[in-house]
Every structure is written in C-alpha cells, then in structure tokens.
Amino acid sequence: MNWRHHFDRLEGAYASSTIKSYIRDFEAFAGWCRRKRLRALPASAQTVARFIDAQSQELKISSIKRKMCAIRKVHRLAGFNDIDEHETIALALRRAKRARPGRPRQALGVTFERRNALMGKCSDDLVGLRDKVMVAVGFDTLCRRAELVGLRVEDFQMSDAGTLTVLVRRAKNDQDGLGRIAHLSAETTRLVQHWLEMTGLERGPLLRPIYKGKIGARYLHPAAVGRVLKRLSSMAYDPEIAKKVSGHSLRVGSAQTLAKRGVGLLAIMSVGGWRSSNTVARYVENVEVNPWQ
C-alpha cells in the first residue's frame, strides 16, 4: 500500500514539520493495521474505532486526536469520504477522553524572577552570551522555540523609543506567514547589540551553534532551547525543577509575568501572537494575584 505519495500534494501548502508529523502518525496507524490484518486505506469506521480504543490505553487524548488528524488527512487526499462523520469513531473518541481524564501538563514557566536567575548562571564566554541572549529575547518576545531559533539578524530594527523590535516571521497559527512585531526591553536591546558586536553578525540566524569558540553559520535546532533552559535551571535550582522546564517555558513564564503585572488577557494575546484565549487562560490561571492589594 503506497500512501506516502499523497503527501507530495501538501508540499508548499504546509510546513515540512507538519507533513513529517502526518507521515509519522499515519505510519503508526498503518503499522497497527498490519499487525491486526486490517485495511488502513480506506479504513472502516470499526477499524479506526478499534485503533482509538487500543491507543487510549497508552496515550493522552491530545495525542490520539493528532493521530486522527493524520488518518483523516490521508483519507481525504486519497479521495475517500471523511471518516470522522461516523458515530462509531465519535463514541470511541469519547471513551478515550473519559478513560484518561486530566488537564494537559504545563511546562514550568520561566517568570521574570526565574529569567534573572537563569541569566545569572550563563558563563562569561561566547556560549554564555548566546544563551543569555536566547533567554532574554525569548522572554521578551514570547516566541515559541521554533520561532526563537528562526529569528534573523536583519529582522531587528531600532524603534523611535531607542529599543529594538523584531519581526517574528511565521508561527504555527500564522499560515499566511504575515508574522508579528515583537518589542525588546532596553536591557535585552543592549544584550543583542553586544552579541552582534562580539560576533560581527550582519545577516542570517541570530542564535547559532558554537564549536570550540567559533560561531557556526546555521540555525540552532528548536530542541536546543529546551536543553539550554534545562541546563541553566539545573544550576540555578534543584534537578526536580529542571525536569519541569521545557522549550516552551519562556513563553509560559512571560505570559504569567504579564498577568501578574496586571496586563489584560487580550493584550497578552496580542504580544504573544495567540488567536485563542483558552491557551493563555490556562497559562495564567495559577498566577497568584491578590485583587485586594
């Protein structure tokens, strides 16, 4: 069964990471079908329901829904009817949701205080300066990790206020690629300027790998953000706290800091480029704010 060629039609319309995710998830479904001697394409509603029931023993509902997106996409590309319309599948999804109740696990937010602690643990060499810029820019811009490592030197501009702005070119909820403008603080502006002076960078990636004291030419992998934050957190705090930190922690912590400072939900959404208030509300719900102070 050759289903992979269907994804050729998605080239240019979807990010390569999205296409790879579709392929990976449908491979999991197709492999399960082979082991059960069931047809994967087109799959019957009963087959998909059995797959959901099996996956619900191990995976969260969010992961199952992601796999369902891949199954749905392949069927549509192959010209088959939308399998989501079957009540059998809808009931299986409801069973999966009830079988593993609970809220999504949220990364520990790197709030302003934690940001300062992490930056204080950065070394005095070129790697430490890069890591300090990563933390400061990530916190100010509320960038996702892929957006953060994707920032380019030529996208930074000096504003009338004397601080830098940066064009965050494309986000996962910005399919048209219009981007958004993020503002840096005076402190972060000085850090970025110092980094550019030290490295001589004029174009290309702002954040780069460094080998034996020499800066590379390519972009950092998004996973590098999480590794840097975990490493700095393990030095600033105990290992248990470091385990809760991820590449998303700067975005979460900055939103929490803004909420604690009294910034409204709509303003936080605008700064971080969110389309839905639900995610932001979940980030800031645990912020301790005393309305009587």
Side-chain angles (χ1 to χ4, degrees), residues 210-254:
I210 298 172
Y211 303 102
K212 297 181 179 180
K214 295 184 179 180
I215 188 165
R218 61 181 177 85
Y219 289 89
L220 283 175
H221 191 279
V225 178
R227 289 196 295 267
V228 169
L229 294 179
K230 282 183 177 295
R231 175 169 53 80
L232 295 176
S233 295
S234 65
M235 292 188 288
Y237 302 102
D238 63 74
E240 291 303 313
I241 290 182
K243 290 179 182 179
K244 300 176 182 178
V245 172
S246 77
H248 213 57
S249 291
L250 288 170
R251 184 168 168 84
V252 174
S254 186

Side-chain angles (χ1 to χ4, degrees), residues 110-125 127-140 185-192 228-229 231-233 235-237 250:
V110 173
T111 57
F112 185 73
E113 292 76 14
R114 290 195 179 104
R115 160 201 177 274
N116 291 342
L118 299 193
M119 291 173 64
K121 294 299 180 179
C122 293
S123 56
D124 294 330
D125 56 7
V127 172
L129 179 57
R130 181 206 60 192
D131 293 347
K132 191 175 292 187
V133 170
M134 177 190 292
V135 173
V137 172
F139 183 87
D140 284 6
S185 67
E187 177 190 6
T188 304
T189 293
R190 289 191 293 271
L191 269 173
V192 171
V228 169
L229 294 179
R231 175 169 53 80
L232 295 176
S233 295
M235 292 188 288
Y237 302 102
L250 288 170

Side-chain angles (χ1 to χ4, degrees), residues 108-224:
L108 178 68
V110 173
T111 57
F112 185 73
E113 292 76 14
R114 290 195 179 104
R115 160 201 177 274
N116 291 342
L118 299 193
M119 291 173 64
K121 294 299 180 179
C122 293
S123 56
D124 294 330
D125 56 7
L126 202 59
V127 172
L129 179 57
R130 181 206 60 192
D131 293 347
K132 191 175 292 187
V133 170
M134 177 190 292
V135 173
V137 172
F139 183 87
D140 284 6
T141 60
L142 283 83
C143 278
R144 300 172 178 88
R145 61 177 195 167
E147 298 167 2
L148 180 56
V149 299
L151 295 178
R152 302 202 297 241
V153 175
E154 58 266 34
D155 289 335
F156 286 80
Q157 300 291 332
M158 188 63 67
S159 69
D160 294 338
T163 54
L164 288 171
T165 65
V166 61
L167 172 63
V168 182
R169 286 184 172 270
R170 184 187 290 272
K172 66 179 183 180
N173 62 347
D174 176 25
Q175 298 303 317
D176 295 330
L178 300 178
R180 61 183 175 88
I181 300 295
H183 296 263
L184 305 186
S185 67
E187 177 190 6
T188 304
T189 293
R190 289 191 293 271
L191 269 173
V192 171
Q193 290 175 323
H194 182 46
W195 167 250
L196 297 180
E197 290 171 2
M198 292 292 294
T199 59
L201 295 176
E202 296 181 353
R203 297 187 62 82
L206 174 73
L207 302 170
R208 306 179 182 214
I210 298 172
Y211 303 102
K212 297 181 179 180
K214 295 184 179 180
I215 188 165
R218 61 181 177 85
Y219 289 89
L220 283 175
H221 191 279

Side-chain angles (χ1 to χ4, degrees), residues 1-7 22-23 26-27 30 41 74:
M1 178 183 58
N2 183 16
W3 48 265
R4 289 176 177 80
H5 71 278
H6 292 298
F7 287 100
Y22 280 146
I23 293 174
F26 194 80
E27 279 178 342
L41 189 67
V74 174

Side-chain angles (χ1 to χ4, degrees), residues 4 13 18-19 25-26 40 42 50-51 55 72 84 86 93 121 140 166-167 227 256-257 265 269 282 293:
R4 289 176 177 80
T18 300
I19 297 174
D25 286 335
F26 194 80
R50 284 183 60 185
F51 176 72
Q55 296 295 294
R72 183 192 310 119
D84 272 2
H86 293 273
L93 286 170
K121 294 299 180 179
D140 284 6
V166 61
L167 172 63
R227 289 196 295 267
Q256 292 173 341
T257 299
L265 187 61
M269 289 174 59
R282 191 172 74 247
Q293 287 182 342

